[in-house]
Amino acid sequence: MTINQKVTEKIDLSGVDQRGLFGQKGAYLNLIESQFEAKIVARGDWITIEGEPGEIGRLQTLFSDLISYLSKNGELNERYILYSIAIIKENGRGPTELMDTESAVTSVATKGAIRPKTIGQDRYVKTIEANDIVFSIGPAGTGKTYLAVAKAVSFFKRRLVQRIILTRPAVEAGESLGFLPGDIRAKVDPYLRPLYDALQDMLAAEKIKKLMELGTIEIAPLAFMRGRNLSNSFVILDEGQNTTTGQMKMFLTRLGLGSKAVITGDITQIDLDDKKGSGLVRAQKILAGIKGIEFVYLTEKDIVRHRLVQDIVKAYERHEGRLSKGRKGGVKKRS
């Protein structure tokens, strides 16, 4: 039996923000070591790693990827480290190399540059650039809405569109908003709050206010889109899983010349009574194969929120899978 011989390699950290790379009290370094069969020692401007050649190669790729990510984003987090490790073990290359994304999605007023943080997100923003209608389907936390709004701001700043229109179905109110208290703004704001939040990360508050007063930025319930012709606009339909087939058709046929649309949604979180009647679910079959319309599917690997969100999504998927198998198998009668 041949036993792989252990080797030792060093990685130069000259000019690297070691505090950002290693985490508080070396937490990130400990996390990395727990994921590999290798010994990692950091001293001065060097990391020394000892282990089998395959593990050493993966660790060299990992640290190169993390240093590149840290340099571009100014900070590192546990979620990205685990993501990078998973991608390297699967592909042998790091996410930053696979994405090859140098340019930011957009320059923003409050948080600096916004860049895709996963391979799926990178594919998503590139698909938006290349197509007039893009459907983004995936679980919570994958950046579906946030990146779509970032692209809308980018297109507006580059003068590729003249307006930004953000809309959502107010499904909790059945889009019959009259019975709710207050004026129309007070009625719809609770349903549109996530769109405001995303926008406020990308434009100064005064700028947003001015653009909304001019009608250049519009945030409105889906019901308000009926009968309109949306030309030279970047239009985002959020929570698309909660549209009916009729509503989805209505929205898509609003698009005029020079417009681009992004429809986002999570088909595992449909709030309609008739879940099979979701406009987003049916659109996948109805619109498949049409040139200029693309579907991008994000997964739990693309979740960029707290690391537990990925575990929660996986747990629910397993639970729903077991329920689905139970329904298909039927219930056995007692003899």
Side-chain angles (χ1 to χ4, degrees), residues 300 303 306-316 318:
E300 74 277 356
I303 292 173
H306 192 289
R307 65 176 181 83
L308 286 176
V309 175
Q310 184 182 53
D311 295 333
I312 291 166
V313 169
K314 285 182 177 178
Y316 272 96
R318 288 194 297 269

Side-chain angles (χ1 to χ4, degrees), residues 110-225:
T110 56
K111 288 195 174 180
I114 294 174
R115 291 184 175 90
K117 291 182 170 60
T118 70
I119 296 167
Q121 288 187 350
D122 185 57
R123 183 175 66 252
Y124 176 31
V125 297
K126 287 176 179 175
T127 301
I128 292 173
E129 283 282 347
N131 296 273
D132 285 340
I133 298 177
V134 174
F135 289 81
S136 176
I137 298 173
T142 51
K144 301 183 301 294
T145 303
Y146 196 79
L147 287 172
V149 175
K151 289 302 292 181
V153 173
S154 174
F155 268 65
F156 178 72
K157 286 186 173 182
R158 288 150 57 195
R159 299 185 179 181
L160 298 175
V161 296
Q162 296 173 4
R163 290 187 297 169
I164 296 173
I165 299 173
L166 313 175
T167 185
R168 264 187 162 200
V171 68
E172 295 90 343
E175 292 210 312
S176 298
L177 302 167
F179 71 90
L180 294 173
D183 61 16
I184 190 63
R185 184 73 174 267
K187 294 174 193 290
V188 302
D189 267 6
Y191 307 107
L192 305 175
R193 189 75 255 167
L195 298 174
Y196 283 105
D197 292 343
L199 197 59
Q200 286 169 358
D201 274 356
M202 299 161 202
L203 291 170
E206 285 303 312
K207 181 75 170 177
I208 295 172
K209 182 180 178 182
K210 182 178 179 181
L211 291 173
M212 291 186 74
E213 287 173 352
L214 293 171
T216 305
I217 292 179
E218 182 179 349
I219 304 177
L222 180 60
F224 288 21
M225 297 297 109

Side-chain angles (χ1 to χ4, degrees), residues 7 29 43 45 59 69 104 109 117 130 146 151-152 161 184 197 216 247 255 322 331:
V7 297
L29 202 59
R43 283 199 183 94
D45 286 338
L59 277 165
Y69 182 90
K117 291 182 170 60
Y146 196 79
K151 289 302 292 181
V161 296
I184 190 63
D197 292 343
T216 305
Q247 286 174 321
L255 291 185
R322 288 193 294 269
V331 180

